[in-house]
Amino acid sequence: MPLLAILLLAAGTYAFRVAGPLLGDRLTVSDRVRHLLGVAAAVLLVALAATGTLTQGHDFAGWARPAGVLVAGVLVLRRAPFPVVVVAAAATTALLRLCGVS
């Protein structure tokens, strides 16, 4: 049974991926729908980042991780290089946890 489920999910995933290039010229999407799809993608990305930042399992992740993400966000806004953003965010989180801030 699990093998059948895996095969069905794989076929469904492949069908979704192939549907885009095959149906791209046949479907007409209005400008409003295109705009809403762009906004929906941004909202989903923000929700995913917020969930990953603020929760660990079913509990609050603590203040160290959001502080690290905040540092990363500030550095991104200041157009810092990506490795600097990652290292600064990780260092901030690690230092806060070392100081006892969970």
Side-chain angles (χ1 to χ4, degrees):
M1 185 63 181
L3 181 62
L4 179 64
I6 290 171
L7 291 175
L8 286 174
L9 286 173
T13 301
Y14 185 74
F16 273 124
R17 289 183 170 258
V18 169
L22 291 178
L23 299 176
D25 295 336
R26 295 180 187 175
L27 293 176
T28 56
V29 179
S30 68
D31 290 338
R32 175 137 175 90
V33 171
R34 280 185 198 270
H35 174 71
L36 288 176
L37 287 173
V39 170
V43 168
L44 283 173
L45 187 60
V46 169
L48 181 65
T51 302
T53 300
L54 297 175
T55 61
Q56 184 170 3
H58 294 288
D59 298 326
F60 179 58
W63 292 105
R65 191 185 304 172
V69 172
L70 181 65
V71 168
V74 169
L75 289 175
V76 166
L77 289 177
R78 297 184 59 97
R79 299 188 185 269
F82 182 71
V84 172
V85 171
V86 172
V87 169
T92 300
T93 302
L95 285 174
L96 285 174
R97 287 181 178 167
L98 186 66
C99 293
V101 178
S102 60

Coordinates of all heavy atoms in Angstrom, one line a residue:
M1 N 0.8 -1.2 0.0 CA 0.0 0.0 0.0 C 0.8 1.3 0.0 O 0.6 2.2 -0.8 CB -1.0 0.0 1.2 CG -1.9 1.1 1.2 SD -3.0 1.0 -0.2 CE -4.0 2.5 0.0
P2 N 1.9 1.4 0.8 CA 2.7 2.6 0.8 C 3.4 2.8 -0.6 O 3.5 4.0 -1.0 CB 3.7 2.4 1.9 CG 3.2 1.4 2.8 CD 2.3 0.5 2.0
L3 N 3.8 1.7 -1.2 CA 4.4 1.9 -2.5 C 3.4 2.4 -3.5 O 3.8 3.3 -4.3 CB 5.0 0.5 -3.0 CG 5.7 0.6 -4.3 CD1 6.9 1.5 -4.3 CD2 6.1 -0.8 -4.8
L4 N 2.2 2.0 -3.5 CA 1.1 2.5 -4.4 C 0.9 4.0 -4.1 O 0.8 4.8 -5.0 CB -0.2 1.7 -4.2 CG -1.3 2.2 -5.1 CD1 -1.0 2.0 -6.5 CD2 -2.6 1.4 -4.7
A5 N 0.8 4.4 -2.8 CA 0.6 5.8 -2.5 C 1.8 6.6 -3.0 O 1.6 7.7 -3.6 CB 0.5 5.9 -1.0
I6 N 3.0 6.1 -2.9 CA 4.2 6.9 -3.4 C 4.1 7.0 -4.9 O 4.4 8.1 -5.4 CB 5.5 6.1 -2.9 CG1 5.7 6.3 -1.4 CG2 6.7 6.7 -3.6 CD1 6.8 5.4 -0.8
L7 N 3.8 6.0 -5.6 CA 3.7 6.0 -7.0 C 2.6 7.0 -7.5 O 2.8 7.8 -8.4 CB 3.5 4.6 -7.6 CG 4.6 3.7 -7.5 CD1 4.2 2.3 -8.0 CD2 5.8 4.2 -8.2
L8 N 1.4 7.0 -6.8 CA 0.4 7.9 -7.1 C 0.8 9.4 -6.9 O 0.5 10.2 -7.7 CB -0.9 7.6 -6.3 CG -1.6 6.3 -6.8 CD1 -2.8 6.0 -5.9 CD2 -2.2 6.5 -8.2
L9 N 1.4 9.6 -5.7 CA 1.9 11.0 -5.5 C 3.0 11.4 -6.5 O 3.0 12.6 -6.9 CB 2.4 11.0 -4.0 CG 1.4 11.0 -2.9 CD1 2.1 11.0 -1.6 CD2 0.5 12.3 -3.0
A10 N 3.8 10.5 -6.8 CA 4.9 10.8 -7.8 C 4.2 11.2 -9.2 O 4.6 12.1 -9.8 CB 5.9 9.7 -8.0
A11 N 3.2 10.4 -9.6 CA 2.6 10.6 -10.8 C 1.8 12.0 -10.8 O 1.8 12.7 -11.8 CB 1.6 9.5 -11.2
G12 N 1.2 12.2 -9.7 CA 0.4 13.5 -9.5 C 1.4 14.7 -9.6 O 1.1 15.7 -10.2
T13 N 2.5 14.6 -8.9 CA 3.5 15.7 -8.9 C 4.0 15.9 -10.3 O 4.2 17.0 -10.8 CB 4.6 15.3 -7.9 OG1 4.1 15.1 -6.6 CG2 5.7 16.4 -7.9
Y14 N 4.4 14.8 -11.0 CA 4.9 14.9 -12.3 C 3.8 15.6 -13.3 O 4.1 16.4 -14.1 CB 5.3 13.6 -12.9 CG 5.9 13.6 -14.2 CD1 7.2 14.1 -14.4 CD2 5.2 13.2 -15.3 CE1 7.8 14.2 -15.6 CE2 5.8 13.3 -16.6 CZ 7.1 13.8 -16.7 OH 7.7 13.9 -17.9
A15 N 2.5 15.2 -13.1 CA 1.5 15.7 -13.9 C 1.3 17.2 -13.7 O 1.2 18.0 -14.6 CB 0.2 15.0 -13.6
F16 N 1.4 17.7 -12.4 CA 1.4 19.1 -12.2 C 2.5 19.9 -12.8 O 2.4 20.9 -13.4 CB 1.4 19.4 -10.7 CG 0.0 19.4 -10.0 CD1 -0.2 18.5 -9.0 CD2 -1.0 20.2 -10.5 CE1 -1.5 18.5 -8.4 CE2 -2.2 20.1 -9.9 CZ -2.5 19.3 -8.9
R17 N 3.7 19.3 -12.8 CA 4.9 19.9 -13.4 C 4.8 20.0 -14.9 O 5.2 21.0 -15.5 CB 6.2 19.2 -12.9 CG 6.5 19.4 -11.5 CD 7.8 18.8 -11.1 NE 8.2 19.2 -9.8 CZ 9.1 20.1 -9.5 NH1 9.8 20.6 -10.5 NH2 9.4 20.4 -8.3
V18 N 4.3 19.0 -15.5 CA 4.2 18.9 -16.9 C 3.0 19.8 -17.4 O 3.1 20.3 -18.5 CB 4.0 17.5 -17.4 CG1 3.6 17.4 -18.9 CG2 5.3 16.7 -17.2
A19 N 2.0 20.0 -16.6 CA 0.8 20.7 -17.0 C 1.2 22.2 -17.3 O 0.6 22.7 -18.3 CB -0.3 20.7 -15.9
G20 N 2.1 22.8 -16.6 CA 2.5 24.2 -16.9 C 3.0 24.4 -18.3 O 2.4 25.2 -19.0
P21 N 4.0 23.7 -18.7 CA 4.5 23.9 -20.1 C 3.5 23.5 -21.1 O 3.4 24.1 -22.2 CB 5.8 23.1 -20.1 CG 6.2 22.9 -18.7 CD 5.0 22.9 -17.9
L22 N 2.8 22.4 -20.9 CA 1.8 21.9 -21.9 C 0.6 22.8 -22.1 O 0.1 23.0 -23.2 CB 1.4 20.5 -21.6 CG 2.4 19.4 -21.7 CD1 1.8 18.1 -21.3 CD2 3.0 19.4 -23.1
L23 N 0.1 23.4 -21.0 CA -1.1 24.2 -21.0 C -0.8 25.7 -21.0 O -1.8 26.5 -21.0 CB -2.0 23.9 -19.8 CG -2.5 22.4 -19.8 CD1 -3.3 22.2 -18.5 CD2 -3.3 22.1 -21.0
G24 N 0.4 26.1 -21.0 CA 0.8 27.5 -20.8 C 0.2 28.3 -22.0 O -0.2 29.5 -21.8
D25 N 0.2 27.9 -23.2 CA -0.3 28.6 -24.3 C -1.8 28.5 -24.5 O -2.4 29.4 -25.1 CB 0.4 28.1 -25.6 CG 1.9 28.4 -25.6 OD1 2.3 29.3 -24.9 OD2 2.6 27.7 -26.3
R26 N -2.4 27.5 -23.9 CA -3.8 27.3 -24.1 C -4.7 28.1 -23.1 O -5.8 28.3 -23.3 CB -4.2 25.9 -24.0 CG -3.6 25.0 -25.1 CD -3.9 23.6 -24.9 NE -3.2 22.8 -25.9 CZ -3.2 21.5 -26.0 NH1 -3.9 20.8 -25.2 NH2 -2.5 20.9 -26.9
L27 N -4.1 28.4 -21.9 CA -4.8 29.2 -20.9 C -4.6 30.6 -21.0 O -3.4 31.1 -21.2 CB -4.4 28.7 -19.5 CG -4.8 27.2 -19.2 CD1 -4.2 26.9 -17.8 CD2 -6.3 27.1 -19.1
T28 N -5.6 31.4 -20.9 CA -5.4 32.9 -20.8 C -5.8 33.3 -19.4 O -6.8 32.9 -18.9 CB -6.3 33.6 -21.8 OG1 -7.7 33.2 -21.6 CG2 -5.9 33.3 -23.2
V29 N -4.9 34.0 -18.8 CA -5.1 34.5 -17.4 C -5.1 36.0 -17.5 O -4.3 36.6 -18.1 CB -3.9 34.0 -16.5 CG1 -4.1 34.5 -15.1 CG2 -3.9 32.5 -16.6
S30 N -6.2 36.5 -16.8 CA -6.3 38.0 -16.8 C -5.2 38.6 -16.0 O -4.5 38.0 -15.2 CB -7.7 38.4 -16.2 OG -7.7 38.1 -14.9
D31 N -5.0 39.9 -16.2 CA -4.0 40.6 -15.5 C -4.3 40.7 -14.0 O -3.4 40.6 -13.1 CB -3.9 42.1 -16.0 CG -3.3 42.1 -17.4 OD1 -2.6 41.2 -17.7 OD2 -3.5 43.1 -18.1
R32 N -5.6 40.7 -13.6 CA -5.9 40.7 -12.2 C -5.6 39.4 -11.5 O -5.0 39.3 -10.4 CB -7.4 40.9 -12.0 CG -7.9 40.8 -10.6 CD -8.9 41.9 -10.3 NE -9.4 41.7 -8.9 CZ -8.9 42.2 -7.8 NH1 -7.8 42.9 -7.9 NH2 -9.4 42.0 -6.7
V33 N -5.8 38.3 -12.2 CA -5.5 37.0 -11.7 C -3.9 36.8 -11.6 O -3.4 36.3 -10.6 CB -6.1 35.8 -12.5 CG1 -5.5 34.5 -12.1 CG2 -7.6 35.9 -12.4
R34 N -3.2 37.3 -12.6 CA -1.8 37.3 -12.5 C -1.3 38.1 -11.3 O -0.4 37.6 -10.6 CB -1.2 37.9 -13.8 CG -1.1 37.0 -14.9 CD -0.4 37.7 -16.1 NE -0.7 37.0 -17.3 CZ 0.0 36.0 -17.8 NH1 1.1 35.6 -17.1 NH2 -0.3 35.4 -18.9
H35 N -1.9 39.2 -11.1 CA -1.5 40.1 -9.9 C -1.8 39.3 -8.6 O -0.9 39.3 -7.7 CB -2.2 41.4 -9.9 CG -2.0 42.2 -8.7 ND1 -0.8 42.8 -8.5 CD2 -2.8 42.5 -7.7 CE1 -0.8 43.5 -7.3 NE2 -2.1 43.3 -6.8
L36 N -3.0 38.7 -8.5 CA -3.3 38.0 -7.3 C -2.4 36.8 -7.1 O -2.1 36.4 -5.9 CB -4.8 37.5 -7.4 CG -5.8 38.7 -7.2 CD1 -7.2 38.1 -7.4 CD2 -5.7 39.3 -5.9
L37 N -2.0 36.1 -8.1 CA -1.1 34.9 -8.0 C 0.2 35.4 -7.5 O 0.9 34.7 -6.6 CB -1.0 34.2 -9.3 CG -2.2 33.4 -9.8 CD1 -2.0 32.8 -11.2 CD2 -2.4 32.3 -8.8
G38 N 0.7 36.5 -7.9 CA 2.0 37.1 -7.4 C 1.9 37.4 -6.0 O 2.8 37.2 -5.2
V39 N 0.8 38.1 -5.6 CA 0.6 38.4 -4.2 C 0.4 37.2 -3.3 O 1.0 37.1 -2.2 CB -0.7 39.3 -4.0 CG1 -1.1 39.5 -2.6 CG2 -0.4 40.7 -4.7
A40 N -0.3 36.2 -3.8 CA -0.5 34.9 -3.1 C 0.9 34.2 -2.8 O 1.1 33.7 -1.7 CB -1.4 34.0 -3.8
A41 N 1.7 34.3 -3.8 CA 3.0 33.6 -3.6 C 3.8 34.3 -2.6 O 4.5 33.7 -1.7 CB 3.8 33.6 -5.0
A42 N 3.8 35.7 -2.6 CA 4.5 36.4 -1.5 C 3.9 36.2 -0.1 O 4.7 36.0 0.8 CB 4.4 37.9 -1.8
V43 N 2.6 36.1 0.0 CA 2.0 35.8 1.3 C 2.3 34.4 1.8 O 2.6 34.2 2.9 CB 0.4 36.0 1.1 CG1 -0.3 35.4 2.4 CG2 0.1 37.4 0.9
L44 N 2.3 33.5 0.9 CA 2.7 32.1 1.3 C 4.2 32.0 1.7 O 4.5 31.4 2.7 CB 2.5 31.1 0.1 CG 1.1 30.7 -0.1 CD1 1.0 29.9 -1.4 CD2 0.5 29.9 1.0
L45 N 5.0 32.8 1.1 CA 6.5 32.8 1.5 C 6.6 33.4 2.8 O 7.4 32.9 3.7 CB 7.3 33.5 0.4 CG 8.8 33.5 0.6 CD1 9.3 32.0 0.6 CD2 9.5 34.3 -0.5
V46 N 5.9 34.5 3.1 CA 6.0 35.2 4.4 C 5.4 34.3 5.5 O 6.0 34.2 6.6 CB 5.3 36.5 4.3 CG1 5.1 37.1 5.7 CG2 6.1 37.5 3.5
A47 N 4.3 33.6 5.2 CA 3.7 32.7 6.2 C 4.7 31.6 6.5 O 4.8 31.2 7.7 CB 2.4 32.2 5.7
L48 N 5.3 31.0 5.5 CA 6.3 30.0 5.7 C 7.5 30.4 6.6 O 7.9 29.7 7.5 CB 6.8 29.4 4.4 CG 7.8 28.3 4.4 CD1 7.1 27.0 5.1 CD2 8.3 27.9 3.1
A49 N 8.0 31.6 6.3 CA 9.1 32.2 7.0 C 8.7 32.4 8.5 O 9.4 32.2 9.4 CB 9.6 33.5 6.4
A50 N 7.5 33.0 8.7 CA 7.0 33.3 10.0 C 6.8 32.0 10.8 O 7.2 31.9 12.0 CB 5.7 34.1 10.0
T51 N 6.3 31.0 10.2 CA 6.1 29.7 10.9 C 7.4 29.1 11.3 O 7.6 28.6 12.4 CB 5.3 28.8 10.0 OG1 4.0 29.4 9.7 CG2 5.0 27.5 10.7
G52 N 8.3 29.1 10.3 CA 9.6 28.5 10.6 C 10.4 29.3 11.6 O 11.3 28.8 12.4
T53 N 10.2 30.6 11.7 CA 10.9 31.5 12.7 C 10.3 31.4 14.1 O 11.1 31.3 15.0 CB 10.8 32.9 12.2 OG1 11.4 33.0 10.9 CG2 11.6 33.9 13.1
L54 N 9.0 31.4 14.2 CA 8.4 31.5 15.5 C 8.0 30.2 16.2 O 7.7 30.3 17.4 CB 7.2 32.4 15.4 CG 7.4 33.8 14.9 CD1 6.1 34.6 14.7 CD2 8.3 34.6 15.9
T55 N 8.0 29.1 15.5 CA 7.5 27.9 16.1 C 8.6 26.8 16.0 O 9.4 26.8 15.0 CB 6.2 27.4 15.5 OG1 6.5 27.1 14.1 CG2 5.1 28.4 15.6
Q56 N 8.6 26.0 17.0 CA 9.4 24.7 17.0 C 8.5 23.6 17.5 O 8.1 23.6 18.7 CB 10.6 24.9 17.9 CG 11.5 23.7 17.8 CD 12.8 24.0 18.5 OE1 13.0 25.1 19.1 NE2 13.7 23.0 18.5
G57 N 8.1 22.8 16.6 CA 7.0 21.8 16.9 C 5.7 22.5 17.1 O 5.3 23.2 16.1
H58 N 5.1 22.4 18.2 CA 3.8 23.1 18.5 C 4.0 24.2 19.4 O 3.0 24.8 19.9 CB 2.8 22.1 19.0 CG 2.4 21.1 18.0 ND1 1.6 21.3 16.9 CD2 2.7 19.8 17.9 CE1 1.4 20.2 16.2 NE2 2.1 19.3 16.8
D59 N 5.2 24.6 19.8 CA 5.5 25.6 20.8 C 6.2 26.8 20.2 O 6.7 26.7 19.1 CB 6.4 25.0 21.9 CG 5.7 23.8 22.6 OD1 4.4 23.9 22.8 OD2 6.4 22.9 23.0
F60 N 6.3 27.8 21.0 CA 7.0 29.0 20.6 C 8.5 28.7 20.6 O 9.0 28.0 21.5 CB 6.7 30.1 21.6 CG 7.5 31.4 21.3 CD1 7.3 32.0 20.0 CD2 8.3 32.0 22.2 CE1 8.0 33.2 19.8 CE2 9.0 33.2 22.0 CZ 8.8 33.8 20.7
A61 N 9.2 29.1 19.6 CA 10.7 28.8 19.4 C 11.6 29.5 20.3 O 12.7 29.2 20.5 CB 11.1 29.0 18.0
G62 N 11.1 30.6 21.0 CA 11.9 31.4 21.8 C 12.3 32.7 21.1 O 12.0 32.9 19.9
W63 N 13.0 33.6 21.8 CA 13.3 34.9 21.3 C 14.6 34.9 20.5 O 14.8 35.9 19.7 CB 13.3 35.9 22.4 CG 12.0 36.1 23.0 CD1 11.5 35.7 24.2 CD2 10.9 36.8 22.3 NE1 10.2 36.0 24.3 CE2 9.8 36.7 23.2 CE3 10.7 37.4 21.1 CZ2 8.5 37.3 22.9 CZ3 9.5 38.0 20.8 CH2 8.4 37.9 21.7
A64 N 15.5 34.0 20.6 CA 16.8 34.0 20.0 C 16.6 33.9 18.5 O 17.2 34.6 17.7 CB 17.7 32.9 20.5
R65 N 15.8 32.9 18.0 CA 15.6 32.7 16.6 C 15.0 33.9 15.9 O 15.5 34.4 14.8 CB 14.8 31.5 16.3 CG 14.8 31.1 14.8 CD 14.0 29.9 14.5 NE 14.3 28.7 15.3 CZ 13.5 27.6 15.3 NH1 12.5 27.6 14.5 NH2 13.9 26.6 16.0
P66 N 13.9 34.5 16.4 CA 13.3 35.7 15.8 C 14.3 36.9 15.7 O 14.3 37.6 14.8 CB 12.1 36.0 16.6 CG 11.7 34.7 17.2 CD 13.0 34.0 17.4
A67 N 15.1 37.0 16.8 CA 16.1 38.0 16.8 C 17.2 37.8 15.7 O 17.6 38.8 15.0 CB 16.8 38.1 18.2
G68 N 17.6 36.6 15.5 CA 18.5 36.3 14.4 C 17.9 36.6 13.0 O 18.5 37.2 12.1
V69 N 16.6 36.3 12.9 CA 15.9 36.6 11.6 C 15.8 38.1 11.4 O 15.9 38.6 10.3 CB 14.5 35.9 11.6 CG1 13.7 36.3 10.4 CG2 14.7 34.4 11.5
L70 N 15.5 38.8 12.5 CA 15.4 40.2 12.5 C 16.8 40.8 12.0 O 16.8 41.7 11.1 CB 15.0 40.8 13.8 CG 14.9 42.3 13.9 CD1 13.7 42.8 13.0 CD2 14.6 42.8 15.3
V71 N 17.9 40.3 12.6 CA 19.2 40.8 12.1 C 19.4 40.5 10.6 O 19.9 41.4 9.9 CB 20.3 40.2 13.0 CG1 21.7 40.4 12.4 CG2 20.2 40.7 14.4
A72 N 19.0 39.3 10.2 CA 19.1 39.0 8.8 C 18.3 39.9 7.9 O 18.7 40.4 6.9 CB 18.7 37.5 8.6
G73 N 17.1 40.2 8.4 CA 16.2 41.1 7.6 C 16.8 42.5 7.5 O 16.8 43.1 6.4
V74 N 17.4 43.0 8.6 CA 18.0 44.3 8.5 C 19.2 44.3 7.6 O 19.4 45.3 6.8 CB 18.4 44.8 9.9 CG1 19.3 46.0 9.9 CG2 17.2 45.0 10.8
L75 N 20.0 43.3 7.6 CA 21.2 43.2 6.7 C 20.7 43.1 5.3 O 21.4 43.6 4.4 CB 22.1 42.0 7.1 CG 22.8 42.3 8.5 CD1 23.6 41.0 8.8 CD2 23.8 43.5 8.3
V76 N 19.7 42.4 5.0 CA 19.2 42.2 3.6 C 18.7 43.6 3.1 O 19.0 44.0 2.0 CB 18.0 41.2 3.6 CG1 17.3 41.3 2.2 CG2 18.6 39.8 3.7
L77 N 18.0 44.3 4.0 CA 17.6 45.7 3.6 C 18.7 46.6 3.3 O 18.7 47.5 2.5 CB 16.7 46.3 4.6 CG 15.3 45.7 4.8 CD1 14.5 46.3 5.9 CD2 14.5 45.8 3.4
R78 N 19.9 46.4 4.0 CA 21.1 47.2 3.8 C 21.9 46.6 2.7 O 23.0 47.1 2.4 CB 21.8 47.3 5.1 CG 21.1 48.0 6.2 CD 21.9 48.2 7.4 NE 23.1 49.0 7.1 CZ 23.2 50.3 7.3 NH1 22.2 51.0 7.8 NH2 24.3 50.9 7.0
R79 N 21.4 45.6 2.0 CA 22.1 44.9 0.8 C 23.4 44.4 1.2 O 24.4 44.5 0.4 CB 22.2 45.9 -0.3 CG 20.9 46.4 -0.8 CD 21.0 47.2 -2.0 NE 19.7 47.8 -2.4 CZ 18.9 47.2 -3.3 NH1 19.2 46.0 -3.8 NH2 17.7 47.7 -3.6
A80 N 23.5 43.7 2.3 CA 24.7 43.0 2.7 C 24.9 41.7 1.9 O 23.9 41.2 1.4 CB 24.7 42.7 4.2
P81 N 26.1 41.2 1.7 CA 26.2 40.0 0.9 C 25.6 38.8 1.7 O 25.5 38.8 2.9 CB 27.8 39.8 0.9 CG 28.3 41.1 1.1 CD 27.3 41.9 2.0
F82 N 25.1 37.8 0.9 CA 24.4 36.7 1.5 C 25.2 36.0 2.6 O 24.6 35.7 3.6 CB 23.9 35.8 0.4 CG 23.1 34.6 0.9 CD1 21.8 34.8 1.3 CD2 23.6 33.3 0.9 CE1 21.1 33.8 1.8 CE2 22.9 32.3 1.4 CZ 21.6 32.5 1.8
P83 N 26.5 35.6 2.4 CA 27.2 35.0 3.5 C 27.2 35.8 4.7 O 27.1 35.2 5.8 CB 28.6 34.7 2.9 CG 28.4 34.8 1.4 CD 27.3 35.7 1.2
V84 N 27.3 37.1 4.6 CA 27.3 37.9 5.8 C 26.0 37.9 6.5 O 25.9 37.8 7.8 CB 27.7 39.4 5.4 CG1 27.5 40.3 6.6 CG2 29.1 39.5 4.9
V85 N 24.9 37.8 5.8 CA 23.6 37.8 6.3 C 23.4 36.5 7.1 O 22.9 36.4 8.3 CB 22.5 37.9 5.2 CG1 21.1 37.6 5.8 CG2 22.5 39.3 4.6
V86 N 23.8 35.4 6.5 CA 23.7 34.1 7.1 C 24.5 33.9 8.4 O 24.0 33.5 9.5 CB 24.0 32.9 6.1 CG1 24.0 31.6 6.8 CG2 23.0 32.9 5.0
V87 N 25.8 34.4 8.3 CA 26.7 34.3 9.5 C 26.2 35.2 10.6 O 26.2 34.8 11.8 CB 28.1 34.6 9.0 CG1 29.0 34.7 10.3 CG2 28.6 33.5 8.1
A88 N 25.8 36.4 10.3 CA 25.3 37.3 11.3 C 24.1 36.8 12.0 O 23.9 36.9 13.2 CB 25.1 38.7 10.7
A89 N 23.1 36.3 11.2 CA 21.9 35.7 11.8 C 22.2 34.5 12.7 O 21.7 34.4 13.8 CB 20.9 35.3 10.7
A90 N 23.0 33.6 12.2 CA 23.4 32.5 13.0 C 24.2 32.9 14.3 O 24.0 32.3 15.4 CB 24.2 31.5 12.2
A91 N 25.1 33.8 14.1 CA 25.9 34.3 15.3 C 25.0 35.0 16.3 O 25.1 34.8 17.5 CB 27.0 35.2 14.8
T92 N 24.0 35.8 15.9 CA 23.1 36.4 16.8 C 22.3 35.4 17.6 O 22.2 35.5 18.8 CB 22.2 37.4 16.0 OG1 22.9 38.3 15.3 CG2 21.2 38.0 16.9
T93 N 21.8 34.5 16.9 CA 21.0 33.4 17.5 C 21.8 32.6 18.5 O 21.4 32.4 19.7 CB 20.4 32.5 16.5 OG1 19.6 33.3 15.6 CG2 19.5 31.4 17.1
A94 N 23.0 32.3 18.1 CA 23.9 31.5 19.0 C 24.3 32.3 20.2 O 24.4 31.7 21.3 CB 25.1 31.0 18.2
L95 N 24.7 33.5 20.0 CA 25.1 34.3 21.2 C 23.9 34.5 22.1 O 24.1 34.5 23.4 CB 25.6 35.7 20.7 CG 27.0 35.7 20.1 CD1 27.4 37.0 19.5 CD2 28.0 35.2 21.1
L96 N 22.7 34.8 21.6 CA 21.6 34.9 22.5 C 21.3 33.6 23.3 O 21.0 33.7 24.5 CB 20.4 35.4 21.7 CG 20.4 36.8 21.3 CD1 19.2 37.1 20.4 CD2 20.4 37.7 22.5
R97 N 21.4 32.5 22.6 CA 21.2 31.2 23.3 C 22.3 31.0 24.3 O 22.1 30.4 25.4 CB 21.1 30.1 22.3 CG 19.8 30.1 21.6 CD 19.7 29.0 20.6 NE 18.4 29.0 19.9 CZ 18.1 28.4 18.9 NH1 19.0 27.6 18.3 NH2 16.9 28.5 18.3
L98 N 23.6 31.4 24.0 CA 24.7 31.2 24.9 C 24.5 32.1 26.2 O 24.9 31.7 27.3 CB 26.0 31.6 24.2 CG 27.3 31.4 25.0 CD1 27.5 29.9 25.2 CD2 28.5 32.0 24.3
C99 N 23.8 33.2 26.0 CA 23.5 34.1 27.1 C 22.3 33.7 27.9 O 21.9 34.3 28.8 CB 23.3 35.6 26.6 SG 24.8 36.3 26.0
G100 N 21.7 32.6 27.5 CA 20.5 32.1 28.2 C 19.2 32.5 27.7 O 18.1 32.2 28.2
V101 N 19.2 33.3 26.6 CA 17.9 33.6 25.9 C 17.5 32.5 25.0 O 18.2 32.2 24.1 CB 18.0 35.0 25.1 CG1 16.7 35.3 24.5 CG2 18.5 36.1 26.0
S102 N 16.4 31.9 25.3 CA 16.0 30.7 24.5 C 15.3 31.1 23.2 O 14.9 32.2 23.0 CB 15.1 29.8 25.3 OG 13.9 30.5 25.7

